[in-house]
């Protein structure tokens, strides 16, 4: 499950409205002569949540443009001095009238807020009460920040309707608000606890967003209580993915354009330094480190690939644990890798998982993978057997394969661990036995569940280096007794003594599987004995089948003169 993005509508100061109406009668209202005094009075009115405030200004009125710029500067100054006013004010507009005769400009401000004066007082009272319950005497700022963060994340839920924007909404039923309310409440509680904080404005996950910066021991850190409480809300769940991050860490999915204090100090390093330098409070800092999941930066809690994920799952199942959480280095394939690993186990009825960007890591693509498991009633292993009790292989030859059969067939965990008694003779992996050197070794299959074993004795012998025949030429007449050829494998202790007999012309002479040659018709055939282990090792015998004499003929009569010689020819 990827992290849900929270849309957050940030509502701030509205547009100024200029209205020039000269020579209007002025009521008995406060009068100020300087912009600084005007700012102080307006600030006080906004702090008290006044929705309408009128005042006379006797400062120099040069022009409408200059006056509007002056009012805009005053409002910006108030905003910049107090984030709480800035982000709890919904809008502010004003009208004014200037009397050139008297030099007085009458100004009326109309303000709208996300909470009323009564609601603001309620927030202050509640924050004081909450802090008295969660902060105890002797707590340092690190502890205070954590308990405040945890209280907000567990007690407040995100308003998916995007209606509530105030911290007041976070403190009354149904205790829902958007990021602006989260940031305001975080600001209020931290500042009241003595921890300097600011409200930041920008985007997160492509949506408008507000969050906080906190100041601890001379360093600023980003704190996003909204994104540490992702939707859907789960009662009692506390996350720390966005707890005290640097600019570089949070920029993975947060952006801002306004200049804020730089956050460049790694909180991971800060905690490690505190654990080392402040031994009396080391347990406190270690507890925060554990809560933030900094252990997932270590190799013990890091899983690199599907094979390692399967091993982690296997260990979890062995102990019937309902959950495991690791840092998974290939977050993009986490879903398919987990599915493939789960399919190898029969006693899992269902599983669920969540994955979130591990923003504390400098590596891109890694996630925190949290897996929940539900089990069948486990079925134990009774026995295991292997497909061959003995096996003969040749040095440098092809590998052999052993198959393990686990009983009962519905055993929950059928996983096998393979081992060789002598890796200099044979090695084994997944039942594949590879010959290494001449000798004998025992291959053992051991069940992960129950430790049941089965063995196979593997003998590794020399490889065939050649083939010799009892004769390399022979003449065999049709009708003569068959000729038996004998093949000898070199060396004589080679792993396979068997040969394959073939005839180049079975129509002339055939050869049986035992080397018996039978003449058919006249001609020549080559009989070959090929090693069954290595087809490049062979020997040949040339067999000639001659044409048989069927008769002899001479002329029946001859005529010769006296004194002459006649030569007779036999055919």
């Amino acid at each position: 499950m990827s992290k849900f993005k929270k849309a957050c509508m940030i509502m701030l100061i509205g547009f100024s409205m200029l209205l020039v109406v000269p020579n209007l009668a002025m009521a008995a209202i406060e009068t100020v002569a300087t912009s600084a005094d005007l700012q102080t009075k307006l600030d006080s009115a906004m702090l008290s949540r006044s929705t309408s405030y009128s005042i006379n200004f006797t400062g120099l009125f040069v022009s409408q443009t200059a006056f509007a710029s002056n009012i805009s500067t005053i409002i910006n100054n108030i905003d910049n001095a107090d984030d709480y006013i800035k982000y709890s004010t919904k809008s502010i507009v004003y009208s004014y009238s200037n009397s050139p005769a008297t030099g007085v400009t009458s100004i009326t401000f109309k303000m709208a807020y996300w909470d009323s004066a009564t609601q603001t007082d309620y927030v202050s009272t509640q924050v004081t009460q909450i802090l008295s319950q969660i902060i105890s005497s002797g707590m340092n700022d690190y502890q205070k920040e954590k308990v405040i963060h945890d209280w907000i994340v567990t007690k407040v839920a995100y308003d998916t309707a995007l209606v509530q924007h105030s911290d007041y909404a976070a403190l009354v039923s149904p205790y829902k608000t958007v990021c602006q309310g989260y940031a305001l409440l975080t600001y209020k509680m931290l500042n009241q606890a003595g921890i300097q904080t600011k409200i930041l404005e920008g985007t997160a996950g492509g949506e408008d967003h507000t969050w906080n910066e906190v100041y601890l021991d001379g360093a600023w850190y980003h704190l996003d209580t909204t994104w540490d409480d992702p939707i859907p809300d789960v009662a009692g769940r506390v996350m720390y993915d966005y707890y005290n991050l640097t600019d570089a860490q949070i920029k993975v999915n947060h952006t801002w354009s306004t200049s804020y204090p730089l956050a460049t100090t790694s909180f991971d390093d800060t905690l490690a330094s505190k654990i080392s330098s402040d031994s009396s409070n080391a347990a406190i800092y270690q507890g925060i480190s554990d809560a933030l999941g900094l252990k997932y930066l270590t190799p013990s809690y890091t899983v690199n690939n599907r094979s390692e994920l399967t091993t982690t799952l296997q260990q979890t199942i062995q102990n019937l644990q309902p959950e495991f959480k690791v840092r998974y280095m290939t977050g993009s394939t986490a879903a398919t890798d987990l599915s493939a690993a789960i399919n190898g186990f029969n006693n899992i009825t269902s599983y669920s998982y969540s994955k979130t960007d591990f923003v504390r890591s400098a590596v891109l693509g890694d996630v925190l993978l949290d897996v929940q498991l539900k089990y069948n009633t486990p079925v134990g292993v009774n026995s295991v057997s292997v497909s061959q009790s003995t096996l003969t292989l040749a040095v440098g030859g092809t590998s052999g394969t052993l198959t393990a059969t686990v009983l009962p067939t519905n055993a929950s965990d059928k996983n096998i661990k393979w081992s060789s008694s002598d890796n200099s003779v044979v090695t084994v992996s997944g039942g594949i036995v590879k010959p290494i050197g001449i000798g004998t070794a025992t291959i053992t299959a051991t069940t992960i569940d129950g430790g049941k074993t089965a063995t196979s004795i593997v003998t590794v012998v020399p490889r065939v280096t050649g083939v010799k025949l009892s004769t390399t030429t022979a003449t065999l007449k049709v009708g003569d007794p068959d000729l038996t050829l004998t093949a000898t494998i070199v060396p004589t202790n080679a792993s396979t003594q068997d040969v394959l007999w073939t005839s180049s012309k079975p129509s002339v002479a055939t050869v049986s599987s035992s080397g018996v040659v039978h003449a058919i018709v006249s001609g020549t055939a080559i009989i070959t004995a090929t090693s069954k282990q290595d087809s490049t090792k062979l020997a040949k015998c040339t067999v000639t089948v001659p044409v048989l004499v069927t008769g002899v003929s001479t002329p029946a009569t001859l005529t010769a003169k006296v004194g002459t010689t006649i030569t007779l020819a036999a055919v």
Side-chain angles (χ1 to χ4, degrees), residues 158-217:
Y158 190 78
D159 179 21
T160 55
L162 307 181
V163 174
Q164 301 296 337
H165 293 73
S166 70
D167 50 355
Y168 172 78
L171 296 176
V172 296
S173 182
Y175 310 102
K176 291 184 176 183
T177 188
V178 297
C179 61
Q180 193 165 334
Y182 276 85
L184 282 166
L185 183 58
T186 302
Y187 179 93
K188 185 84 170 180
M189 294 180 74
L190 286 172
N191 273 287
Q192 193 160 321
I195 301 174
Q196 186 179 353
T197 183
K198 297 184 70 65
I199 297 177
L200 276 64
E201 174 187 345
T203 64
E207 303 287 347
D208 290 338
H209 190 56
T210 54
W211 65 99
N212 299 90
E213 267 191 316
V214 297
Y215 190 71
L216 295 173
D217 279 353

Side-chain angles (χ1 to χ4, degrees), residues 46-357:
M46 294 176 71
L47 281 173
S48 64
R49 288 294 190 265
S50 297
T51 56
S52 180
Y53 178 66
S54 297
I55 192 170
N56 290 330
F57 179 61
T58 60
L60 181 64
F61 186 90
V62 178
S63 67
Q64 292 184 26
T65 302
F67 181 77
S69 177
N70 188 32
I71 296 298
S72 178
T73 298
I74 288 171
I75 293 174
N76 286 335
N77 289 342
I78 293 173
D79 284 346
N80 294 334
D82 191 337
D83 286 349
Y84 193 78
I85 286 183
K86 179 178 181 179
Y87 289 95
S88 60
T89 301
K90 185 184 298 186
S91 65
I92 176 170
V93 296
Y94 67 92
S95 61
Y96 72 92
S97 63
N98 172 254
S99 172
T102 62
V104 175
T105 303
S106 298
I107 313 169
T108 297
F109 294 92
K110 298 290 185 180
M111 287 82 75
Y113 308 94
W114 290 109
D115 50 4
S116 65
T118 301
Q119 292 172 340
T120 301
D121 291 341
Y122 178 83
V123 170
S124 296
T125 300
Q126 284 296 105
V127 167
T128 299
Q129 181 179 341
I130 293 166
L131 292 179
S132 69
Q133 294 171 349
I134 65 176
I135 295 179
S136 58
S137 176
M139 276 189 175
N140 62 27
D141 287 350
Y142 292 84
Q143 293 171 288
K144 292 176 183 178
E145 181 196 11
K146 183 177 181 299
V147 295
I148 289 172
H149 166 276
D150 293 356
W151 191 94
I152 293 172
V153 171
T154 55
K155 301 298 183 181
V156 182
Y158 190 78
D159 179 21
T160 55
L162 307 181
V163 174
Q164 301 296 337
H165 293 73
S166 70
D167 50 355
Y168 172 78
L171 296 176
V172 296
S173 182
Y175 310 102
K176 291 184 176 183
T177 188
V178 297
C179 61
Q180 193 165 334
Y182 276 85
L184 282 166
L185 183 58
T186 302
Y187 179 93
K188 185 84 170 180
M189 294 180 74
L190 286 172
N191 273 287
Q192 193 160 321
I195 301 174
Q196 186 179 353
T197 183
K198 297 184 70 65
I199 297 177
L200 276 64
E201 174 187 345
T203 64
E207 303 287 347
D208 290 338
H209 190 56
T210 54
W211 65 99
N212 299 90
E213 267 191 316
V214 297
Y215 190 71
L216 295 173
D217 279 353
W220 285 97
Y221 304 96
H222 291 268
L223 177 67
D224 194 340
T225 50
T226 310
W227 272 50
D228 269 353
D229 191 19
I231 52 178
D233 190 65
V234 177
R237 177 177 60 180
V238 181
M239 300 179 68
Y240 300 93
D241 295 339
Y242 295 87
Y243 189 100
N244 290 8
L245 301 181
T246 64
D247 289 341
Q249 288 172 326
I250 204 167
K251 275 184 177 178
V252 170
N253 42 40
H254 287 53
T255 62
W256 58 96
S257 56
T258 304
S259 177
Y260 295 111
L262 294 177
T264 57
T265 302
S266 167
F267 193 60
D268 311 351
D269 294 340
T270 297
L271 288 178
S273 176
K274 285 288 186 181
I275 292 170
S276 175
S277 63
D278 188 2
S279 57
S280 61
N281 292 311
I284 293 172
Y285 301 118
Q286 186 61 57
I288 296 174
S289 177
D290 293 343
L292 268 57
L294 300 187
K295 65 183 179 182
Y296 297 108
L297 291 170
T298 65
S300 298
Y301 288 88
T302 299
V303 174
N304 293 290
N305 49 48
R306 181 184 295 183
S307 176
E308 292 182 10
L309 183 62
T310 302
T311 300
T312 300
L313 181 64
Q314 182 175 293
Q315 294 169 349
T316 304
I317 292 173
Q318 283 178 353
N319 299 317
L320 292 180
Q321 293 172 330
E323 179 183 18
F324 70 89
K325 186 175 182 180
V326 294
R327 175 190 178 200
Y328 196 56
M329 299 305 293
T330 54
S332 61
T333 62
T336 54
D337 290 348
L338 180 60
S339 176
I342 289 287
N343 286 337
F345 299 93
N346 297 327
N347 61 331
I348 303 297
T349 57
S350 64
Y351 73 96
S352 60
Y353 74 94
S354 63
K355 66 173 184 177
T356 56
D357 294 333

